[in-house]
Amino acid sequence: MKYILIILLIVVFTGLGSGFYIKPEDEATGNLLIGLSISLGFFILMPLFIYHRWKDKNVKDYMLTKENILKMQEYQNSKDKK
């Protein structure tokens, strides 16, 4: 998954670069390349990246629950005592 993300990121940046390079000569093709690169990055790369980063995480660890508030207070109190 990591290598797929890296390859897609390189493809997006290459498409953006070539789109901006071609745009002064052929504006329609340049805009098409820029638009496709942005769409690829937004609709394919970002969801894959978010899935890759969150697939083994527990969402409850990041939510502000009563237990987590107590843990934070205990940590802060132990830090203040030192």
Side-chain angles (χ1 to χ4, degrees):
M1 180 68 91
K2 178 180 172 182
Y3 297 113
I4 292 171
L5 291 172
I6 292 171
I7 290 169
L8 282 174
L9 185 65
I10 291 171
V11 167
V12 167
F13 282 139
T14 303
L16 282 172
S18 61
F20 280 113
Y21 181 76
I22 293 173
K23 192 173 179 179
E25 297 170 5
D26 186 8
E27 189 168 349
T29 306
N31 285 336
L32 178 69
L33 282 173
I34 293 169
L36 288 175
S37 298
I38 295 294
S39 297
L40 176 73
F42 185 73
F43 291 114
I44 306 231
L45 181 64
M46 280 306 294
L48 283 176
F49 175 75
I50 292 169
Y51 171 76
H52 174 70
R53 296 299 292 171
W54 280 87
K55 69 180 174 185
D56 295 328
K57 304 276 195 267
N58 187 4
V59 178
K60 283 198 161 210
D61 292 339
Y62 301 97
M63 294 177 72
L64 196 58
T65 61
K66 185 108 175 145
E67 296 169 0
N68 287 343
I69 291 172
L70 292 174
K71 284 181 189 177
M72 287 188 295
Q73 287 175 346
E74 289 173 6
Y75 176 74
Q76 188 66 26
N77 289 339
S78 69
K79 204 165 103 175
D80 289 341
K81 288 180 182 178
K82 289 183 180 182

